[in-house]
Amino acid sequence: MSLLSVENLAIHFGGIKAVDQVSFAVEAGEVFTIIGPNGAGKTTIFNLISRIYDPTEGRLIFDGVDFTTMPAHRIAGLGIARTFQNIELFEHATVLQNLLVGRQPHARVNLLSEILFLPSVRRAEIAHREKVEEIIDLLDLQAYREQMIANLPYGVRKVVEMARALCTEPKLLLLDEPSSGLNVEETQDMSYWIEDIKRRLGVTVLMVEHDMGLVSSVSDRVLALNYGRVLAQGSPEEVQRNPDVIKAYLGGEE
Ligand SMILES: Nc1ncnc2c1ncn2[C@@H]1O[C@H](COP(=O)(O)OP(=O)(O)OP(=O)(O)O)[C@@H](O)[C@H]1O
Ligand SMILES: [Mg+2]
């Protein structure tokens, strides 16, 4: 069974078929990447999977659970976390505070034991801190933990946003253009972080990305999209060689 199955997914905005009969499956443990020219429908697919949009047609299945109509607030609990094309963090809070917010899906609901601060609450608090520290170590954020987001360079914020998503302990991490706005060196670091997330945390990654160097270095499989439709699917090399994919990209530059 695949970790994520997307079956005949479609969404229409008025006359625009932003996503049109898209099917693919993401296997546990892989990095699966969606590429395609601007406006191809990549972010819309992420918005459908995170249940921000309701599909016009199709089915979404995660770990055997049909979540096509599940409310958005339950998606983190299902084991899916995401980053946004435009970073979304609390600007006037520290890195550590932002990461503790990522622990929210695991927060306790028993108010009385919270008020009494029972040993179980203390244990939970320690467990939250430990998870957050593990992610801080993994992504090498120690130097920034007490700094306010607003004071951090863009490249570091991108890593913090990824860390925040990882603090929810997802099975599947959705990354929308992890290299956008990064310089060559930061993009190289990003490829190491994605490898580490896959190898050391065992988290499956579904990514949207434009930088073909990064796509080739980290992706197990690639899906190319154009005008909301699947153009090609396969290894990074296969997809980059595909004549329809080459045509779509050249068309975009005209
Ligand atoms: N809420 C919406 N209402 C109307 N049209 C929308 C909406 N969201 C997306 N679209 C349209 O759907 C199409 C796909 O947009 P989408 O943001 O998914 O593209 P993308 O592949 O992520 O592009 P980019 O590489 O520029 O990020 C575009 O034509 C866009 O204008
Ligand atoms: Mg996009």
Side-chain angles (χ1 to χ4, degrees), residues 124-193:
E125 178 71 29
I126 291 166
H128 288 322
R129 294 269 172 182
E130 279 173 355
K131 186 68 205 175
V132 167
E133 294 303 336
E134 180 196 333
I135 302 298
I136 286 176
D137 281 346
L138 181 86
L139 298 180
D140 214 3
L141 289 168
Q142 298 89 343
Y144 307 105
R145 57 206 297 286
E146 300 297 343
Q147 292 196 33
M148 218 195 294
I149 301 297
N151 298 333
L152 293 176
Y154 187 82
V156 179
R157 292 189 212 191
K158 289 223 60 134
V159 181
V160 175
E161 206 205 10
M162 204 158 70
R164 199 230 340 106
L166 287 172
C167 283
T168 68
E169 294 184 71
K171 290 184 189 142
L172 178 70
L173 176 65
L174 311 181
L175 298 174
D176 198 350
E177 302 200 15
S179 87
S180 79
L182 301 187
N183 63 33
V184 175
E185 193 189 332
E186 291 166 330
T187 302
Q188 178 67 5
D189 286 344
M190 186 55 77
S191 79
Y192 297 138
W193 300 140

Side-chain angles (χ1 to χ4, degrees), residues 11-14 16-19 34-47 53 85 176-177 208-210 225 227-228:
I11 187 165
H12 305 167
F13 297 111
I16 299 170
K17 293 181 175 180
V19 174
I34 302 175
I35 64 166
N38 295 118
K42 306 179 297 295
T43 298
T44 304
I45 290 180
F46 273 21
N47 288 339
Y53 294 158
Q85 196 166 345
D176 198 350
E177 302 200 15
V208 164
E209 182 51 51
H210 279 293
L225 205 66
Y227 297 114

Side-chain angles (χ1 to χ4, degrees), residues 10-242:
I11 187 165
H12 305 167
F13 297 111
I16 299 170
K17 293 181 175 180
V19 174
D20 192 13
Q21 298 296 324
V22 169
S23 297
F24 62 90
V26 179
E27 306 303 328
E30 73 175 339
V31 175
F32 189 103
T33 302
I34 302 175
I35 64 166
N38 295 118
K42 306 179 297 295
T43 298
T44 304
I45 290 180
F46 273 21
N47 288 339
L48 286 161
I49 295 171
S50 33
R51 297 288 303 111
I52 294 171
Y53 294 158
D54 286 320
T56 311
E57 279 174 68
R59 283 211 312 165
L60 296 165
I61 296 160
F62 185 75
D63 226 359
V65 177
D66 187 325
F67 68 104
T68 317
T69 59
M70 190 178 273
H73 70 264
R74 285 185 53 205
I75 295 304
L78 197 61
I80 302 177
R82 75 175 287 183
T83 64
F84 292 85
Q85 196 166 345
N86 307 305
I87 301 175
E88 297 202 5
L89 289 167
F90 295 105
E91 290 273 309
H92 298 287
T94 66
V95 169
L96 194 58
Q97 286 164 339
N98 270 275
L99 297 191
L100 282 165
V101 171
R103 297 296 304 168
Q104 203 56 42
H106 297 272
R108 299 177 54 88
V109 285
N110 187 336
L111 190 62
L112 186 63
S113 52
E114 293 276 359
I115 290 167
L116 298 175
F117 203 59
L118 295 178
S120 60
V121 175
R122 240 170 291 154
R123 276 197 298 275
E125 178 71 29
I126 291 166
H128 288 322
R129 294 269 172 182
E130 279 173 355
K131 186 68 205 175
V132 167
E133 294 303 336
E134 180 196 333
I135 302 298
I136 286 176
D137 281 346
L138 181 86
L139 298 180
D140 214 3
L141 289 168
Q142 298 89 343
Y144 307 105
R145 57 206 297 286
E146 300 297 343
Q147 292 196 33
M148 218 195 294
I149 301 297
N151 298 333
L152 293 176
Y154 187 82
V156 179
R157 292 189 212 191
K158 289 223 60 134
V159 181
V160 175
E161 206 205 10
M162 204 158 70
R164 199 230 340 106
L166 287 172
C167 283
T168 68
E169 294 184 71
K171 290 184 189 142
L172 178 70
L173 176 65
L174 311 181
L175 298 174
D176 198 350
E177 302 200 15
S179 87
S180 79
L182 301 187
N183 63 33
V184 175
E185 193 189 332
E186 291 166 330
T187 302
Q188 178 67 5
D189 286 344
M190 186 55 77
S191 79
Y192 297 138
W193 300 140
I194 294 169
E195 288 281 327
D196 275 358
I197 288 166
K198 170 179 151 175
R199 295 241 157 76
R200 291 173 57 192
L201 291 180
V203 171
T204 306
V205 177
L206 174 59
M207 163 172 104
V208 164
E209 182 51 51
H210 279 293
D211 184 308
M212 290 315 286
L214 178 61
V215 171
S216 302
S217 71
V218 302
S219 311
D220 295 293
R221 289 191 302 143
V222 174
L223 178 144
L225 205 66
N226 197 23
Y227 297 114
R229 291 186 146 259
V230 176
L231 277 183
Q233 220 186 133
S235 69
E237 301 76 37
E238 280 166 358
V239 171
Q240 282 183 76
R241 273 202 310 264
N242 183 293

